[in-house]
PDB file of all heavy atoms in Angstrom:
ATOM      1  N   VAL A 147      12.310 -14.778  -7.623  1.00  0.00           N
ATOM      2  CA  VAL A 147      12.500 -14.979  -9.075  1.00  0.00           C
ATOM      3  C   VAL A 147      12.111 -16.407  -9.447  1.00  0.00           C
ATOM      4  O   VAL A 147      11.358 -16.629 -10.409  1.00  0.00           O
ATOM      5  CB  VAL A 147      13.969 -14.691  -9.485  1.00  0.00           C
ATOM      6  CG1 VAL A 147      14.201 -15.030 -10.962  1.00  0.00           C
ATOM      7  CG2 VAL A 147      14.330 -13.231  -9.222  1.00  0.00           C
ATOM      8  N   ARG A 148      12.577 -17.380  -8.665  1.00  0.00           N
ATOM      9  CA  ARG A 148      12.282 -18.795  -8.962  1.00  0.00           C
ATOM     10  C   ARG A 148      10.777 -19.065  -8.929  1.00  0.00           C
ATOM     11  O   ARG A 148      10.228 -19.702  -9.828  1.00  0.00           O
ATOM     12  CB  ARG A 148      12.977 -19.710  -7.937  1.00  0.00           C
ATOM     13  CG  ARG A 148      14.369 -20.160  -8.359  1.00  0.00           C
ATOM     14  CD  ARG A 148      14.905 -21.241  -7.433  1.00  0.00           C
ATOM     15  NE  ARG A 148      15.140 -20.748  -6.093  1.00  0.00           N
ATOM     16  CZ  ARG A 148      16.257 -20.140  -5.703  1.00  0.00           C
ATOM     17  NH1 ARG A 148      17.259 -19.989  -6.543  1.00  0.00           N
ATOM     18  NH2 ARG A 148      16.396 -19.703  -4.463  1.00  0.00           N
ATOM     19  N   GLN A 149      10.111 -18.566  -7.889  1.00  0.00           N
ATOM     20  CA  GLN A 149       8.672 -18.827  -7.752  1.00  0.00           C
ATOM     21  C   GLN A 149       7.884 -18.136  -8.864  1.00  0.00           C
ATOM     22  O   GLN A 149       6.926 -18.690  -9.411  1.00  0.00           O
ATOM     23  CB  GLN A 149       8.185 -18.367  -6.374  1.00  0.00           C
ATOM     24  CG  GLN A 149       8.730 -19.238  -5.247  1.00  0.00           C
ATOM     25  CD  GLN A 149       8.250 -18.798  -3.862  1.00  0.00           C
ATOM     26  OE1 GLN A 149       7.607 -17.767  -3.711  1.00  0.00           O
ATOM     27  NE2 GLN A 149       8.584 -19.573  -2.856  1.00  0.00           N
ATOM     28  N   THR A 150       8.304 -16.926  -9.203  1.00  0.00           N
ATOM     29  CA  THR A 150       7.613 -16.201 -10.284  1.00  0.00           C
ATOM     30  C   THR A 150       7.778 -16.949 -11.601  1.00  0.00           C
ATOM     31  O   THR A 150       6.818 -17.106 -12.370  1.00  0.00           O
ATOM     32  CB  THR A 150       8.167 -14.764 -10.400  1.00  0.00           C
ATOM     33  OG1 THR A 150       7.978 -14.106  -9.147  1.00  0.00           O
ATOM     34  CG2 THR A 150       7.471 -13.984 -11.494  1.00  0.00           C
ATOM     35  N   ARG A 151       8.997 -17.434 -11.856  1.00  0.00           N
ATOM     36  CA  ARG A 151       9.241 -18.224 -13.079  1.00  0.00           C
ATOM     37  C   ARG A 151       8.285 -19.420 -13.136  1.00  0.00           C
ATOM     38  O   ARG A 151       7.665 -19.704 -14.166  1.00  0.00           O
ATOM     39  CB  ARG A 151      10.706 -18.700 -13.071  1.00  0.00           C
ATOM     40  CG  ARG A 151      11.134 -19.673 -14.136  1.00  0.00           C
ATOM     41  CD  ARG A 151      11.404 -19.009 -15.481  1.00  0.00           C
ATOM     42  NE  ARG A 151      10.210 -18.714 -16.216  1.00  0.00           N
ATOM     43  CZ  ARG A 151      10.080 -17.721 -17.100  1.00  0.00           C
ATOM     44  NH1 ARG A 151      11.061 -16.900 -17.356  1.00  0.00           N
ATOM     45  NH2 ARG A 151       8.961 -17.525 -17.726  1.00  0.00           N
ATOM     46  N   ALA A 152       8.163 -20.124 -12.003  1.00  0.00           N
ATOM     47  CA  ALA A 152       7.306 -21.323 -11.966  1.00  0.00           C
ATOM     48  C   ALA A 152       5.844 -20.950 -12.207  1.00  0.00           C
ATOM     49  O   ALA A 152       5.136 -21.638 -12.958  1.00  0.00           O
ATOM     50  CB  ALA A 152       7.475 -22.028 -10.620  1.00  0.00           C
ATOM     51  N   ILE A 153       5.402 -19.862 -11.598  1.00  0.00           N
ATOM     52  CA  ILE A 153       3.990 -19.446 -11.764  1.00  0.00           C
ATOM     53  C   ILE A 153       3.717 -19.042 -13.214  1.00  0.00           C
ATOM     54  O   ILE A 153       2.718 -19.452 -13.810  1.00  0.00           O
ATOM     55  CB  ILE A 153       3.655 -18.285 -10.792  1.00  0.00           C
ATOM     56  CG1 ILE A 153       3.665 -18.795  -9.352  1.00  0.00           C
ATOM     57  CG2 ILE A 153       2.324 -17.633 -11.134  1.00  0.00           C
ATOM     58  CD1 ILE A 153       3.693 -17.708  -8.295  1.00  0.00           C
ATOM     59  N   PHE A 154       4.627 -18.251 -13.783  1.00  0.00           N
ATOM     60  CA  PHE A 154       4.421 -17.813 -15.176  1.00  0.00           C
ATOM     61  C   PHE A 154       4.407 -19.031 -16.112  1.00  0.00           C
ATOM     62  O   PHE A 154       3.644 -19.079 -17.070  1.00  0.00           O
ATOM     63  CB  PHE A 154       5.511 -16.821 -15.601  1.00  0.00           C
ATOM     64  CG  PHE A 154       5.330 -15.411 -15.044  1.00  0.00           C
ATOM     65  CD1 PHE A 154       4.397 -15.137 -14.057  1.00  0.00           C
ATOM     66  CD2 PHE A 154       6.095 -14.359 -15.526  1.00  0.00           C
ATOM     67  CE1 PHE A 154       4.233 -13.851 -13.546  1.00  0.00           C
ATOM     68  CE2 PHE A 154       5.934 -13.065 -15.030  1.00  0.00           C
ATOM     69  CZ  PHE A 154       5.006 -12.808 -14.037  1.00  0.00           C
ATOM     70  N   ASP A 155       5.263 -20.024 -15.813  1.00  0.00           N
ATOM     71  CA  ASP A 155       5.305 -21.225 -16.653  1.00  0.00           C
ATOM     72  C   ASP A 155       4.050 -22.075 -16.455  1.00  0.00           C
ATOM     73  O   ASP A 155       3.497 -22.615 -17.416  1.00  0.00           O
ATOM     74  CB  ASP A 155       6.561 -22.057 -16.350  1.00  0.00           C
ATOM     75  CG  ASP A 155       7.820 -21.382 -16.886  1.00  0.00           C
ATOM     76  OD1 ASP A 155       7.698 -20.387 -17.641  1.00  0.00           O
ATOM     77  OD2 ASP A 155       8.933 -21.819 -16.534  1.00  0.00           O
ATOM     78  N   ASN A 156       3.591 -22.192 -15.199  1.00  0.00           N
ATOM     79  CA  ASN A 156       2.378 -22.999 -14.917  1.00  0.00           C
ATOM     80  C   ASN A 156       1.204 -22.561 -15.768  1.00  0.00           C
ATOM     81  O   ASN A 156       0.398 -23.371 -16.208  1.00  0.00           O
ATOM     82  CB  ASN A 156       1.936 -22.822 -13.448  1.00  0.00           C
ATOM     83  CG  ASN A 156       2.754 -23.679 -12.499  1.00  0.00           C
ATOM     84  OD1 ASN A 156       3.521 -24.515 -12.938  1.00  0.00           O
ATOM     85  ND2 ASN A 156       2.594 -23.453 -11.198  1.00  0.00           N
ATOM     86  N   TYR A 157       1.085 -21.239 -15.959  1.00  0.00           N
ATOM     87  CA  TYR A 157      -0.093 -20.696 -16.639  1.00  0.00           C
ATOM     88  C   TYR A 157       0.240 -20.085 -17.992  1.00  0.00           C
ATOM     89  O   TYR A 157      -0.590 -19.383 -18.563  1.00  0.00           O
ATOM     90  CB  TYR A 157      -0.784 -19.673 -15.716  1.00  0.00           C
ATOM     91  CG  TYR A 157      -1.251 -20.324 -14.431  1.00  0.00           C
ATOM     92  CD1 TYR A 157      -0.513 -20.205 -13.254  1.00  0.00           C
ATOM     93  CD2 TYR A 157      -2.394 -21.119 -14.427  1.00  0.00           C
ATOM     94  CE1 TYR A 157      -0.917 -20.841 -12.100  1.00  0.00           C
ATOM     95  CE2 TYR A 157      -2.809 -21.767 -13.280  1.00  0.00           C
ATOM     96  CZ  TYR A 157      -2.063 -21.620 -12.110  1.00  0.00           C
ATOM     97  OH  TYR A 157      -2.467 -22.259 -10.979  1.00  0.00           O
ATOM     98  N   ALA A 158       1.452 -20.334 -18.473  1.00  0.00           N
ATOM     99  CA  ALA A 158       1.898 -19.792 -19.772  1.00  0.00           C
ATOM    100  C   ALA A 158       1.588 -18.300 -19.873  1.00  0.00           C
ATOM    101  O   ALA A 158       1.010 -17.830 -20.858  1.00  0.00           O
ATOM    102  CB  ALA A 158       1.267 -20.571 -20.917  1.00  0.00           C
ATOM    103  N   LEU A 159       1.942 -17.559 -18.820  1.00  0.00           N
ATOM    104  CA  LEU A 159       1.657 -16.118 -18.805  1.00  0.00           C
ATOM    105  C   LEU A 159       2.631 -15.387 -19.716  1.00  0.00           C
ATOM    106  O   LEU A 159       3.828 -15.677 -19.727  1.00  0.00           O
ATOM    107  CB  LEU A 159       1.748 -15.569 -17.373  1.00  0.00           C
ATOM    108  CG  LEU A 159       0.727 -16.148 -16.403  1.00  0.00           C
ATOM    109  CD1 LEU A 159       0.921 -15.582 -15.005  1.00  0.00           C
ATOM    110  CD2 LEU A 159      -0.696 -15.867 -16.880  1.00  0.00           C
ATOM    111  N   ASP A 160       2.094 -14.430 -20.457  1.00  0.00           N
ATOM    112  CA  ASP A 160       2.886 -13.719 -21.455  1.00  0.00           C
ATOM    113  C   ASP A 160       3.527 -12.477 -20.814  1.00  0.00           C
ATOM    114  O   ASP A 160       3.164 -11.344 -21.118  1.00  0.00           O
ATOM    115  CB  ASP A 160       1.961 -13.313 -22.615  1.00  0.00           C
ATOM    116  CG  ASP A 160       2.744 -12.740 -23.775  1.00  0.00           C
ATOM    117  OD1 ASP A 160       3.968 -12.949 -23.824  1.00  0.00           O
ATOM    118  OD2 ASP A 160       2.118 -12.056 -24.615  1.00  0.00           O
ATOM    119  N   CYS A 161       4.432 -12.718 -19.884  1.00  0.00           N
ATOM    120  CA  CYS A 161       5.100 -11.627 -19.162  1.00  0.00           C
ATOM    121  C   CYS A 161       6.508 -12.125 -18.853  1.00  0.00           C
ATOM    122  O   CYS A 161       6.684 -13.279 -18.446  1.00  0.00           O
ATOM    123  CB  CYS A 161       4.334 -11.328 -17.870  1.00  0.00           C
ATOM    124  SG  CYS A 161       5.025  -9.978 -16.884  1.00  0.00           S
TER     125      CYS A 161
END
Side-chain angles (χ1 to χ4, degrees):
V147 174
R148 269 190 294 275
Q149 291 180 353
T150 301
R151 172 79 281 152
I153 291 166
F154 284 11
D155 288 350
N156 280 351
Y157 299 100
L159 297 178
D160 188 17
C161 181

